[in-house]
Amino acid sequence: MANLREISVSAALNLLSAFAFLVAFAILRLQPINDRVYFPKWYLKGARSSPSRSGPSVNKFVNLDWRTYVRFLNWMPAALRMPEPELIDHAGLDSVVYIRIYLLGLKIIVPLAVLAFLVLVPVNWTGDTLEDIKNLTFSDIDKLSISNVPDGSKRFWAHIVMSYVFALWTFYVLYVEYKAVAAMRLKYLASEIRCPDQFTVLVRNIPPDSDESVSEHIEHFFRVNHPDFYLTHQAVYNANKLAKLVEKKKSLQNWYTYYLNKYERTSKSPTTRTGFCGLFGNKVDAIDYYSSEIQKLSEAEASEREKVLSDPKAIVPAAFVSFKSRWSAAVCAQTQLSHDPTIWLTEWAPEPRDVYWSNLTIPYFDLTIRRLLMAVALFFLIFFFMIPIAFVQSLANIDGIEKVFPFLRRLIEKESVKSVIQGFLPGIILKIFLIILPTILMIMSKIEGFPSISSLDRRSAGKYHLFLLVNVFLGSIITGAAFQQLNIFLHQPPTEIPKTVGVSIPMKATFFITYIMVDGWAGVAAEILRLVPLIIFHLKNTFLVKTEQDREEAMDPGCLNFATYEPRIQLYFLLGLVYSAVTPVLLPFIIIFFAFAYVVFRHQVINVYDQKYESGGSFWPDVHQRLIIGILISQLLLMGLLSEKNIEKSTIALIPLPIMTIWFHVYCKGRFESAFVRFPLQDAMIKDTLERATEPNLNLKDYLKDAYIHPVFKGRVYFESPQMVSDEESNTLVMTTRIGKQCAESSSTNSS
């Protein structure tokens, strides 16, 4: 168990690393050569250009003005200066709502920390009971926890009362925030400029028709069932193979450009090998090789494109159907189109840049099977990942390391080394284990077949949250307690084991303190440094960049990775809620993280990140639900802990808490969630009426014609969109291919 000295060493190491990252960032961001790395968003908006400096040529690369280095921390107040409405216009509602999660953490945790330190810390510190438990290792920090209060003491009623205070305050803050975000979303949707997704519905699982093609069947179905509002549609083509060819060709063109630039600089013909990554195979002239490979891919691309456009089977049973108004699109997206609820499935179309085209080709039946398989795979992934988590926990104490590596005994017994190992090693090892996890979870979400990038992010975030909850939180408590207390369990009466486990849960706060410092403080500082994008930009700028356009393409602004960042925030919320009534000493570390991360990510959103899509803050119900889960877990753990402390009626006194929490969640869900899953018809009609008054000559069909064409077909006219037949719009009966055949057969029979 880490003591105060070891926690201090860990805090010092992480603070020093975070400070080093910040100093490096403050210096690097001032250099003209790095301007596009640390301010790419302003370049993309056209509001910033490459800095031009007079004087020596070195000024183009290095900032020699010493006065700017004195003010190297001025980016912090600058990040807080932009008002929220302006920030929404600048970065989008998704970014603003995400940043508000950190602010929400401060609103919840700061009052909890103040109350806990004023009320609970004195109660815990004066308990003086840990000394009476034999063979138990503890530190001064553990004396601040609930474990230091003797069993049966009336002091525990302070914890029970404060748990109600904490819960009521959290409910109030969550309610106010949910209400504010819902209002922001509705205001954003009402004030947003015209976008293709406002008029478009994604239709999936279109039933086959033996007499008509998929495109004809779609047109006739909607002209019959939505005769006054159907405008046009865009069928979805299975162009996945074509997209891979296009992407491969782009990669080869980058290599071709690289070798061409190299030849122009050295006047010496570059060479490469034809094998894997240019490392194996015959050595050939690089320019000629890549030129021929690009030519081959161009021919294969043209052939595949022709195949996709000419093959009726390339059209999948899905389409983007557009309507004449937002009101009619809202009606279609939010109603059942057929008596069979498994066909003609509708949902709001994601905005064009949010569409994940590869998944639109997956049949509806396959989606159910895929999601079942991924649910099973997630279970086994979480279960088997407990093995490395348990190993990390076994290394969290000196005895575990000495058993595994006995030859290191003399070294690790040194006080300085021991402090570093127990205060720093567990958190950094766990961080390494978790680096590749988000990529695995995103692949699993893609296999499940969700049609948009935003839905993939939300689904992957849900998986990551479950993983962190089970493996990092519960796994660290359970496996850590098992490894550290195994010897005690084997040599004490069975009646004492529950008490020992109960004591070990609050004492795990020291491990989570180190985790917060490694994953939180140092992680956020590394985020703002952007070391990897910086290196990649300069490599591209050295070898590939030839024009100003090339330089803009070399910029990598990145984006808020909701699928990874938000579940990590939820872990800090969970730790704060669980330990607020158990071991309040952990709360200041969480507060520092939320405050630091809020400033850093506000800076990143203003100056760096360029979001891949805009969902209007549609992820907030997931954030709220995961916070409710954290509240429930904290309440249940407190009930279980106090039940082992021989407190009369403590369980009865705490039972109302989870009931209140569930009721609160149900109320908020019914009160606010509809704003995130539906578009009010009233608001849609207002926007339609206003648009008809201000733009009476708007050609909506021309505006929508290319919005939902697969990216590999954009830029050229490969096919024509279905034409709207105006003289039949008022007719209830629409002439279809099937009806035409029946009329022809009837006419033939009559003539004979």
Side-chain angles (χ1 to χ4, degrees):
M1 184 62 61
N3 55 34
L4 183 60
R5 173 187 171 86
E6 290 157 0
I7 293 296
S8 300
V9 171
S10 177
L13 289 173
N14 284 282
L15 283 174
L16 285 174
S17 62
F19 181 74
F21 288 147
L22 289 177
V23 171
F25 162 72
I27 295 174
L28 291 173
R29 69 185 287 270
L30 296 175
Q31 311 311 316
I33 194 173
N34 299 327
D35 204 56
R36 289 178 179 269
V37 177
Y38 293 109
F39 301 96
K41 190 159 193 171
W42 297 103
Y43 282 90
L44 295 174
K45 286 180 172 288
R48 194 180 183 102
S49 58
S50 298
S52 57
R53 297 177 181 271
S54 57
S57 59
V58 70
N59 279 348
K60 297 179 180 179
F61 305 98
V62 181
N63 184 358
L64 299 179
D65 186 357
W66 63 269
R67 291 169 296 183
T68 58
Y69 294 96
V70 176
R71 303 186 300 270
F72 71 97
L73 289 179
N74 64 353
W75 64 269
M76 290 187 176
L80 300 173
R81 198 173 297 132
M82 182 178 287
E84 195 170 73
E86 184 179 341
L87 186 57
I88 292 175
D89 294 336
H90 175 70
L93 185 60
D94 277 346
S95 299
V96 172
V97 171
Y98 174 82
I99 293 173
R100 286 181 70 102
I101 302 177
Y102 294 104
L103 195 58
L104 177 66
L106 293 174
K107 292 177 182 178
I108 293 177
I109 303 299
V110 170
L112 264 58
V114 173
L115 291 174
F117 273 85
L118 289 177
V119 179
L120 297 182
V121 168
V123 171
N124 296 338
W125 179 261
T126 56
D128 296 331
T129 191
L130 289 176
E131 291 89 345
D132 299 332
I133 302 178
K134 296 180 179 180
N135 300 321
L136 181 68
T137 303
F138 64 91
S139 67
D140 291 339
I141 291 178
D142 300 320
K143 293 181 180 180
L144 301 175
S145 73
I146 197 173
S147 302
N148 200 36
V149 181
D151 291 359
S153 173
K154 298 295 184 182
R155 293 168 178 258
F156 286 113
W157 284 99
H159 299 84
I160 294 174
V161 172
M162 292 309 297
S163 66
Y164 275 90
V165 174
F166 294 165
L168 292 175
W169 172 253
T170 306
F171 293 162
Y172 170 74
V173 176
L174 285 179
Y175 176 84
V176 171
E177 193 69 17
Y178 210 151
K179 183 178 180 180
V181 174
M184 291 169 61
R185 174 176 168 83
L186 291 175
K187 182 179 178 182
Y188 177 82
L189 294 176
S191 61
E192 189 182 17
I193 60 173
R194 181 173 56 251
C195 294
D197 53 285
Q198 298 171 356
F199 301 89
T200 307
V201 172
L202 173 60
V203 184
R204 306 184 77 177
N205 205 32
I206 299 168
D209 190 288
S210 58
D211 297 318
E212 296 179 326
S213 66
V214 174
S215 185
E216 291 173 335
H217 193 32
I218 296 168
E219 179 181 4
H220 291 147
F221 178 86
F222 282 96
R223 285 183 53 211
V224 168
N225 295 282
H226 294 267
D228 298 325
F229 303 107
Y230 167 73
L231 180 64
T232 185
H233 74 273
Q234 179 58 60
V236 177
Y237 287 76
N238 187 350
N240 293 344
K241 183 177 179 181
L242 177 60
K244 291 179 181 179
L245 290 174
V246 172
E247 189 64 27
K248 185 177 180 181
K249 178 181 174 181
K250 182 178 179 181
S251 174
L252 293 180
Q253 286 174 332
N254 288 336
W255 280 109
Y256 176 79
T257 303
Y258 165 73
Y259 284 113
L260 189 63
N261 290 345
K262 186 176 181 180
Y263 173 73
E264 291 177 353
R265 288 195 308 271
T266 62
S267 299
K268 183 180 179 181
S269 297
T271 60
T272 187
R273 295 186 180 273
T274 58
F276 177 74
C277 292
L279 301 176
F280 307 98
N282 299 326
K283 184 179 287 188
V284 295
D285 184 276
I287 296 177
D288 293 341
Y289 171 73
Y290 281 105
S291 177
S292 63
E293 290 297 310
I294 291 172
Q295 180 63 30
K296 293 177 184 177
L297 272 180
S298 298
E299 295 173 358
E301 177 189 337
S303 175
E304 180 64 22
R305 193 187 304 274
E306 180 65 28
K307 179 181 176 181
V308 170
L309 294 176
S310 60
D311 185 5
K313 294 182 180 179
I315 301 179
V316 301
F320 292 97
V321 180
S322 299
F323 295 83
K324 297 178 182 178
S325 65
R326 298 172 182 85
W327 183 92
S328 53
V331 170
C332 181
Q334 297 164 184
T335 55
Q336 182 175 315
L337 298 189
S338 172
H339 62 274
D340 185 349
T342 65
I343 62 174
W344 296 105
L345 303 178
T346 60
E347 59 183 280
W348 277 110
E351 65 170 353
R353 58 179 177 164
D354 189 21
V355 178
Y356 191 72
W357 293 94
S358 298
N359 282 353
L360 293 180
T361 63
I362 302 174
Y364 178 76
F365 177 77
D366 290 1
L367 294 177
T368 306
I369 303 299
R370 284 165 172 254
R371 290 170 190 178
L372 176 61
L373 293 176
M374 288 303 102
V376 175
L378 179 64
F379 170 79
F380 283 104
L381 177 65
I382 293 175
F383 178 78
F384 284 109
F385 212 85
M386 289 292 289
I387 297 173
I389 294 293
F391 178 73
V392 169
Q393 291 304 306
S394 69
L395 293 181
N397 60 85
I398 298 299
D399 292 337
I401 297 178
E402 289 179 348
K403 290 178 181 178
V404 178
F405 308 108
F407 57 91
L408 296 177
R409 184 186 302 272
R410 182 175 297 180
L411 175 63
I412 61 181
E413 284 296 334
K414 294 182 178 180
E415 193 64 29
S416 58
V417 177
K418 181 179 178 181
S419 298
V420 172
I421 291 175
Q422 290 197 324
F424 188 74
L425 186 63
I428 196 67
I429 293 179
L430 186 59
K431 176 71 173 176
I432 293 172
F433 272 125
L434 295 176
I435 287 177
I436 63 172
L437 180 64
T439 303
I440 298 173
L441 297 179
M442 178 57 74
I443 293 173
M444 294 173 64
S445 297
K446 290 179 179 178
I447 293 174
E448 288 181 310
F450 292 94
S452 63
I453 301 173
S454 58
S455 59
L456 289 174
D457 280 345
R458 292 197 296 271
R459 186 70 176 182
S460 184
K463 292 185 180 71
Y464 197 23
H465 172 255
L466 181 61
F467 186 92
L468 292 177
L469 176 62
V470 174
N471 276 295
V472 177
F473 180 71
L474 297 178
S476 295
I477 289 176
I478 296 171
T479 58
F483 275 85
Q484 294 178 16
Q485 305 297 337
L486 180 60
N487 185 57
I488 300 174
F489 289 174
L490 296 176
H491 297 88
Q492 66 180 2
T495 55
E496 295 296 316
I497 293 178
K499 295 181 181 180
T500 306
V501 175
V503 171
S504 68
I505 292 176
M507 292 173 66
K508 287 301 296 181
T510 53
F511 169 77
F512 288 119
I513 288 174
T514 62
Y515 179 81
I516 291 169
M517 290 186 291
V518 173
D519 185 73
W521 300 359
V524 171
E527 172 71 25
I528 199 172
L529 181 58
R530 286 174 55 82
L531 185 60
V532 174
L534 179 69
I535 294 173
I536 292 176
F537 171 77
H538 286 303
L539 288 175
K540 289 182 177 179
N541 201 39
T542 302
F543 298 108
L544 295 178
V545 169
K546 195 173 183 180
T547 64
E548 190 67 20
Q549 183 178 354
D550 295 336
R551 188 170 287 106
E552 289 186 5
E553 292 178 355
M555 291 189 305
D556 180 21
C559 63
L560 282 172
N561 190 349
F562 177 81
T564 302
Y565 295 160
E566 192 270 343
R568 290 178 180 172
I569 304 174
Q570 292 292 344
L571 178 60
Y572 300 127
F573 271 112
L574 176 63
L575 294 176
L577 294 169
V578 168
Y579 283 96
S580 57
V582 176
T583 312
V585 70
L586 182 140
L587 298 182
F589 296 91
I590 298 177
I591 291 172
I592 293 173
F593 164 75
F594 278 128
F596 185 33
Y598 176 72
V599 177
V600 167
F601 280 98
R602 217 175 191 275
H603 172 274
Q604 299 297 83
V605 163
I606 292 173
N607 298 300
V608 180
Y609 292 145
D610 183 45
Q611 285 306 100
K612 295 181 291 187
Y613 59 83
E614 176 59 58
S615 69
S618 60
F619 55 82
W620 188 259
D622 297 330
V623 175
H624 180 86
Q625 179 176 314
R626 287 193 268 271
L627 284 169
I628 294 295
I629 292 173
I631 297 172
L632 284 171
I633 291 174
S634 68
Q635 294 166 352
L636 294 175
L637 285 178
L638 183 62
M639 289 174 62
L641 183 59
L642 293 183
S643 67
E644 299 298 331
K645 294 291 187 177
N646 300 323
I647 308 301
E648 277 189 48
K649 301 179 181 179
S650 64
T651 302
I652 297 176
L654 289 172
I655 282 179
L657 273 178
I659 297 175
M660 289 169 52
T661 303
I662 294 172
W663 174 85
F664 172 74
H665 175 60
V666 172
Y667 175 77
C668 288
K669 185 180 180 71
R671 175 69 176 82
F672 300 117
E673 191 176 23
S674 62
F676 297 86
V677 295
R678 297 184 181 92
F679 188 43
L681 296 181
Q682 182 183 19
D683 293 348
M685 181 61 73
I686 291 174
K687 292 198 71 171
D688 289 334
T689 304
L690 181 63
E691 188 172 74
R692 283 194 294 267
T694 56
E695 299 181 75
N697 298 321
L698 172 66
N699 188 339
L700 186 60
K701 186 175 182 182
D702 187 62
Y703 170 74
L704 295 171
K705 68 178 182 179
D706 294 330
Y708 287 99
I709 293 178
H710 196 291
V712 297
F713 296 123
K714 284 191 175 181
R716 301 180 187 178
V717 180
Y718 293 105
F719 46 82
E720 295 183 0
S721 300
Q723 296 298 315
M724 180 175 61
V725 185
S726 58
D727 59 348
E728 290 185 353
E729 286 180 348
S730 59
N731 295 337
T732 304
L733 180 63
V734 178
M735 182 67 71
T736 66
T737 304
R738 187 185 307 103
I739 295 174
K741 288 183 178 180
Q742 292 173 354
C743 292
E745 291 173 358
S746 176
S747 176
S748 175
T749 302
N750 292 335
S751 62
S752 62

